[in-house]
Amino acid sequence: MPISSLVSPPLGDSPLGDAFGADPAVFDPSSPDSRPRRSLVSRPSISDSVFRSVAFSAGTITVLIMLAVGVFLSLRAGDALGVAGVNFLFEQDWSPETKKFGIASVLFGTITIAVIAMCVAVPLALGTALLISEVAQGRLKATLVTLVDLMAAVPSVVFGLWGVFFLQANVIPVATWISTYFGWIPFFSVTDATGQALTEASAFTSSAFIAGIVVGLMVVPTQTSVMREAFSQAPIGEREAAFALGSTRWGMITSVVLPFGRGGIIGGTMLGLGRALGETIAVYMIISPIFTINWEVLKTGTNSVSALIALRYGESSSFGLSALMAAGLVLFLITLVINFTASSIVARSRSGAESD
Amino acid sequence: MTPQPRWIRSIRALFALAVVAILGLSGTLSAQAVSYDPITGTGSTWSQNALDQWRKNVASNYGMTVNYSGVGSSAGRRDFVAGNVDFAVSEIPFQTAPEDGSAPEVPSRGYAYMPIVAGGTSFMYNLKINGSRVSNLRLSGEVITKIFTGVITKWNDPAIQTDNPGLKMPDKGIVPVVRSDGSGSTAQFSLWMSKQYNSLWGQFCVKVGKPASCGLTSQYPTYGNAKAQSGSAGVAGYVSQDYGEGAITYVEYSYALKAGFPVAKVLNNAGYYVEPTANSVAVALLQAKIKTDVPVTSPDYLTQILDGVYNNTDPRTYPLSSYSYMIVPTEVGGVFTAKKGLTLGAFANYMLCEGQQQAAALGYSPLPMNLVLAGFDQIKRVPGADVSGVDINNCNNPTFKAGDSPSSNQLATSALQPAACDKVGTSQCVTGTAGATDDTATTGTGTGGSAATADTAAATAAAAGAGAGAAATTANAAAAGTGGAAAAVYDENGALVSGGTGGTVSTGVAGSAVASPFTLADNGWGAQQSIMLFAGVLLIGSAVLPPVLWRRLKPRAPKAGNK
């Protein structure tokens, strides 16, 4: 934040200065010998035009690639969608060989994992972002920022290994405890087919809960940095005004920083959600894939679209591949919508319009 | 932002050092590896432990870089078809007519199968009786099939108890762990089940919504209580965790060795329960039919037909033995070049000869002479391979000595006959298996007394230990004293245990404490819960009280000042 405020004035100043310098010559009507009027359209310098074209083509290519992904997925998914029709969204089983396949259970699993991940990640990210932007100072602040960035750089397969070989064994007692004391809440109960409550450790392994925790920890850094950036842009004048009116630090945070950073919180959450929906390898390593809708999130067995694709890709016929493409298309569209919403919210909040 | 340059600078210095070190290392490495282009392959995790060791050896000895990633046999074959890799490793050949109706796998470039190692698909399990690990479980083929098709779901099923007269099987659910990815292990295992227990496998196929004659599959269908995990390391990892108690999986023997876990001895056609050691696998594979009656150029050349192995009547046989294959290109194409062929040929030659020395220690079984000879023929077909060093007389392979006939196998001739206590009947060896050998003498997890006929001292020691264990379990402290009472609880199992040797039946009680304590959670408000509640109140208090108290305390000071 200090850096940006120091750096921005010179950048903003120079074009303005140029414009003012040029102005008198152009708009001086009293000049007697009328030279041919200079065009008001600025002629870009060579470096300007090169930069413009590079930037334009980069932007266009990015958009084109994304469109191409969408088009490719739709084309390849056409076969499968033509056979399955609208049932594709409601069928739980996945068996393209017998033409009986759909993503109801897979999509349900994806969303459960993502929602659990958000329940874990949002409070953590919010707290960390506030700590970094409002509480920590100096060297501690720099160290925390580095640590969070480091966490973002850890590959997801490492998170997956850690989840399988360390976290899972340690989370099982927690899951057992939750299901014992909060089993009366339907999705926290863990029961077998006859409705009998299960207490064995094996009933709690490879669940959406564990996968959700791991994915949640993976998206914390993304969310933290978006939120931190939004918080650090809360205007210093309003912060000081709050302090001047006798506010405590907490009072200042609730009355200035959080309202100002609301867009950042929502945007960060949704960006994280987008990543959580698409997370593949960590989920693939932890879950035990099933093809029925499992409401009991603590119970073993769940599924996710990206893990399904990773698992079945190697073994598929061309029709099976088409079905996987259709599943990928649905995930692509959902992620796209979420990310667009998120980025528009973030962009809106950066204007400062929401600080009231 | 200014206060940290010092430590940033030190980190930078460290980083620069590391970069220099890496560059230096790679420089020396590339200086050694002048003659070999790196090659890349994907495929089976079944034989990955052996391949990884070999890769390490050729890298340090010959400066050869061989990249391999165990992504599963199915994905490996697909990569080979697509031409993305130089070689693939798979347990089963290319599926020209996949049974699930998907498209045939037809590689565009020429290829040959080359056997690289033999091994046993073993059944690694995690089972405890009274808190001590069982390491001498025995299972018949039918029981295994029933476990992995969801017919048997409890460890104390009478059929399992019959296989294990020396164990008091606990009343615990079986958690079968299967592969979630496309796998050659699954293919081998399902092939064995479909050939040997056709009706059971057919019923299972129908149950999971496939045609009754579904044969071998690379994707294990999920069912009932089964867990699906990815990769051999994934399934072995699940079983070896604490929460994996009661789990059993199918995986290559070396994974059990590595994890330090036991494998089930499997009943063979001669009536003996046998462990998949290098020797028992070698004996079993003497009956493997290797297709050599077709021309060398045929894609089926050297593929295996294992019916003879499944039904081998030699008492030393492990029935689920098989070979793993490397699929090598015989034409340049895709990413494969003649220069890479040089590396591939040298690596293959190393695997067939020198590499086999380590097979047994890694949990595999070395290739016999006839397959080494056949493998040599395949190396000669790899474009660019240097065949001058390929010579059977220079081949340092433990299965043959110079001058042996190609059909003999030193390992098989030196294999010991199984112990008498491994025979079907009322006795059961107490010795451990696979990675759990250390536990043998003391485990005595054979709580049933019949144990080893060879070593009665060990058996009684074990029985004493089991008795002590039972006394320690609070749930059934009273029962431990009076053996008869507890035995009556599990009468059907008790009867089987007493079928062993009458003298030590009382130790059968020990099993009674296994299942019940876990289901008592409903009325559990005890000290632990009180402490947790107290801790929760403290936590909330520490957050809520300071601001409240602070306000209470603060005004007093000004008041005092005002007065």
Side-chain angles (χ1 to χ4, degrees):
Chain A
M1 146 66 183
I3 282 185
S4 66
S5 64
L6 278 178
V7 166
S8 56
L11 275 181
D13 272 352
S14 54
L16 281 179
D18 284 350
F20 283 124
D23 259 352
V26 176
F27 291 109
D28 189 6
S30 62
S31 171
D33 69 331
S34 53
R35 290 178 293 172
R37 282 176 67 95
R38 273 180 62 186
S39 164
L40 288 179
V41 182
S42 66
R43 191 187 301 140
S45 67
I46 294 176
S47 57
D48 266 358
S49 54
V50 167
F51 174 74
R52 259 174 79 96
S53 52
V54 167
F56 257 109
S57 50
T60 322
I61 287 172
T62 312
V63 172
L64 281 183
I65 288 175
M66 213 180 66
L67 283 178
V69 170
V71 169
F72 167 80
L73 280 176
S74 327
L75 286 180
R76 296 293 299 269
D79 269 1
L81 287 178
V83 170
V86 74
N87 241 349
F88 186 68
L89 293 175
F90 305 108
E91 173 63 49
Q92 295 187 21
D93 205 5
W94 187 269
S95 163
E97 298 87 37
T98 55
K99 306 281 186 277
K100 185 168 177 283
F101 60 97
I103 51 164
S105 63
V106 187
L107 205 57
F108 178 84
T110 313
I111 291 169
T112 3
I113 292 175
V115 167
I116 293 167
M118 286 307 105
C119 294
V120 174
V122 171
L124 260 179
L126 192 60
T128 317
L130 280 177
L131 175 74
I132 291 176
S133 74
E134 306 303 323
V135 181
Q137 296 294 333
R139 184 174 289 196
L140 176 64
K141 183 172 180 167
T143 317
L144 282 176
V145 171
T146 319
L147 275 179
V148 171
D149 290 348
L150 198 68
M151 199 172 157
V154 174
S156 52
V157 66
V158 175
F159 271 103
L161 283 172
W162 175 77
V164 169
F165 289 104
F166 175 79
L167 189 71
Q168 178 150 283
N170 292 290
V171 162
I172 287 171
V174 179
T176 317
W177 187 84
I178 296 176
S179 80
T180 309
Y181 293 102
F182 297 93
W184 46 273
I185 304 174
F187 48 84
F188 282 150
S189 67
V190 174
T191 54
D192 61 10
T194 59
Q196 183 75 33
L198 293 171
T199 49
E200 285 184 346
S202 68
F204 294 90
T205 55
S206 312
S207 63
F209 180 60
I210 295 169
I213 292 177
V214 173
V215 173
L217 293 178
M218 290 171 64
V219 301
V220 161
T222 322
Q223 298 188 338
T224 305
S225 48
V226 173
M227 289 181 193
R228 179 171 58 85
E229 207 175 308
F231 293 159
S232 66
Q233 283 173 351
I236 193 83
E238 289 187 29
R239 287 167 190 257
E240 285 177 355
F243 282 131
L245 290 170
S247 170
T248 57
R249 180 152 64 188
W250 174 239
M252 187 275 288
I253 289 174
T254 48
S255 60
V256 177
V257 177
L258 288 182
F260 188 86
R262 198 169 57 209
I265 298 174
I266 298 171
T269 307
M270 293 182 84
L271 278 182
L273 185 62
R275 188 170 170 205
L277 285 171
E279 178 47 41
T280 309
I281 192 72
V283 174
Y284 167 91
M285 293 173 81
I286 290 168
I287 63 168
S288 171
I290 55 164
F291 292 97
T292 47
I293 288 181
N294 178 6
W295 282 98
E296 302 173 348
V297 296
L298 299 174
K299 191 181 163 188
T300 181
T302 181
N303 217 327
S304 95
V305 175
S306 46
L308 169 78
I309 294 174
L311 277 173
R312 290 298 170 90
Y313 176 56
E315 190 63 6
S316 286
S317 58
S318 58
F319 184 75
L321 213 55
S322 167
L324 288 179
M325 294 286 178
L329 180 67
V330 173
L331 183 65
F332 177 74
L333 292 177
I334 292 175
T335 321
L336 212 61
V337 167
I338 287 177
N339 276 353
F340 266 129
T341 323
S343 54
S344 68
I345 291 175
V346 174
R348 205 146 47 95
S349 82
R350 287 213 178 110
S351 68
E354 290 195 7
S355 75
D356 45 351
Chain B
M1 294 281 158
T2 40
Q4 12 78 326
R6 193 147 40 90
W7 67 269
I8 281 212
R9 225 179 289 148
S10 58
I11 284 183
R12 267 192 203 151
L14 273 179
F15 181 71
L17 267 180
V19 168
V20 168
I22 289 167
L23 284 179
L25 270 180
S26 59
T28 51
L29 276 182
S30 59
Q32 275 181 1
V34 276
S35 50
Y36 293 116
D37 272 16
I39 52 172
T40 304
T42 55
S44 169
T45 57
W46 192 87
S47 44
Q48 191 181 5
N49 285 339
L51 273 162
D52 283 348
Q53 182 63 44
W54 295 334
R55 277 165 359 103
K56 239 181 277 170
N57 295 351
V58 295
S60 54
N61 294 339
Y62 307 108
M64 221 184 270
T65 307
V66 179
N67 303 308
Y68 181 74
S69 61
V71 291
S73 297
S74 306
R77 292 197 304 275
R78 177 175 53 77
D79 285 344
F80 191 89
V81 169
N84 298 332
V85 291
D86 303 313
F87 67 90
V89 177
S90 175
E91 274 72 63
I92 54 172
F94 287 112
Q95 301 294 290
T96 45
E99 319 221 353
D100 60 355
S102 50
E105 304 171 334
V106 186
S108 53
R109 53 186 171 177
Y111 62 94
Y113 298 112
M114 187 183 78
I116 51 170
V117 75
T121 301
S122 67
F123 299 92
M124 173 177 164
Y125 60 93
N126 181 348
L127 182 64
K128 287 178 178 169
I129 297 181
N130 298 324
S132 48
R133 171 149 298 136
V134 178
S135 63
N136 60 341
L137 187 74
R138 321 194 299 187
L139 295 172
S140 66
E142 188 176 346
V143 167
I144 290 171
T145 309
K146 282 182 173 169
I147 289 175
F148 282 95
T149 53
V151 178
I152 292 180
T153 56
K154 288 276 188 187
W155 280 108
N156 64 350
D157 190 279
I160 302 182
Q161 189 63 72
T162 314
D163 279 336
N164 297 280
L167 296 175
K168 168 76 183 165
M169 298 306 293
D171 179 17
K172 191 165 173 57
I174 301 177
V175 180
V177 182
V178 302
R179 290 279 291 274
S180 62
D181 52 338
S183 142
S185 316
T186 304
Q188 286 294 7
F189 178 44
S190 58
L191 177 69
W192 173 77
M193 287 194 284
S194 67
K195 295 259 183 181
Q196 298 297 101
Y197 303 97
N198 197 16
S199 64
L200 279 172
W201 182 244
Q203 286 161 19
F204 176 64
C205 289
V206 171
K207 199 167 77 179
V208 297
K210 291 185 165 199
S213 58
C214 70
L216 84 96
T217 172
S218 293
Q219 292 274 3
Y220 210 99
T222 49
Y223 65 97
N225 204 17
K227 299 269 187 297
Q229 298 282 303
S230 61
S232 293
V235 290
Y238 186 97
V239 171
S240 60
Q241 301 283 319
D242 283 345
Y243 52 74
E245 198 186 327
I248 182 166
T249 188
Y250 55 91
V251 73
E252 215 286 331
Y253 187 59
S254 71
Y255 285 89
L257 273 184
K258 242 167 94 171
F261 269 73
V263 301
K265 290 182 176 177
V266 175
L267 184 64
N268 64 22
N269 249 17
Y272 282 91
Y273 294 93
V274 175
E275 189 185 345
T277 57
N279 295 55
S280 53
V281 168
V283 170
L285 287 173
L286 289 177
Q287 295 300 321
K289 268 214 200 83
I290 303 292
K291 258 199 189 143
T292 47
D293 51 353
V294 289
V296 177
T297 47
S298 155
D300 287 339
Y301 184 67
L302 290 189
T303 51
Q304 54 191 346
I305 301 164
L306 296 170
D307 302 68
V309 177
Y310 301 155
N311 296 312
N312 194 337
T313 48
D314 192 309
R316 304 167 296 173
T317 295
Y318 183 75
L320 271 122
S321 305
S322 56
Y323 293 111
S324 186
Y325 288 86
M326 179 179 271
I327 302 167
V328 295
T330 55
E331 285 166 17
V332 170
V335 296
F336 185 70
T337 60
K339 274 211 84 178
K340 285 181 168 180
L342 180 69
T343 322
L344 186 56
F347 180 55
N349 190 23
Y350 173 85
M351 284 194 300
L352 292 177
C353 297
E354 199 64 46
Q356 302 293 327
Q357 289 285 353
Q358 285 164 315
L362 290 168
Y364 296 86
S365 182
L367 289 179
M369 188 172 181
N370 57 344
L371 287 185
V372 174
L373 284 169
F376 281 171
D377 291 340
Q378 304 289 49
I379 294 178
K380 287 169 187 162
R381 297 175 59 205
V382 174
D386 176 16
V387 294
S388 60
V390 177
D391 178 9
I392 196 72
N393 295 318
N394 295 334
C395 190
N396 183 16
N397 181 312
T399 57
F400 57 85
K401 291 184 283 218
D404 273 358
S405 115
S407 58
S408 78
N409 184 337
Q410 291 284 339
L411 272 185
T413 45
S414 68
L416 298 172
Q417 290 294 328
C421 57
D422 274 334
K423 195 167 167 48
V424 174
T426 55
S427 64
Q428 179 168 9
C429 295
V430 293
T431 47
T433 47
T437 40
D438 288 349
D439 299 336
T440 357
T442 50
T443 50
T445 40
T447 47
S450 59
T453 50
D455 194 353
T456 40
T460 43
T473 48
T474 49
N476 249 324
T482 55
V489 179
Y490 287 94
D491 46 358
E492 81 278 39
N493 298 332
L496 283 161
V497 168
S498 62
T501 51
T504 46
V505 171
S506 61
T507 54
V509 233
S512 55
V514 172
S516 47
F518 284 94
T519 50
L520 293 174
D522 47 354
N523 62 341
W525 191 272
Q528 197 189 351
Q529 281 68 28
S530 305
I531 293 172
M532 282 176 72
L533 182 69
F534 183 62
V537 169
L538 271 187
L539 182 70
I540 295 169
S542 64
V544 171
L545 286 183
V548 174
L549 289 180
W550 179 71
R551 275 191 197 150
R552 281 278 165 78
L553 294 172
K554 189 100 191 242
R556 264 182 218 164
K559 262 179 207 163
N562 285 344
K563 272 178 193 173

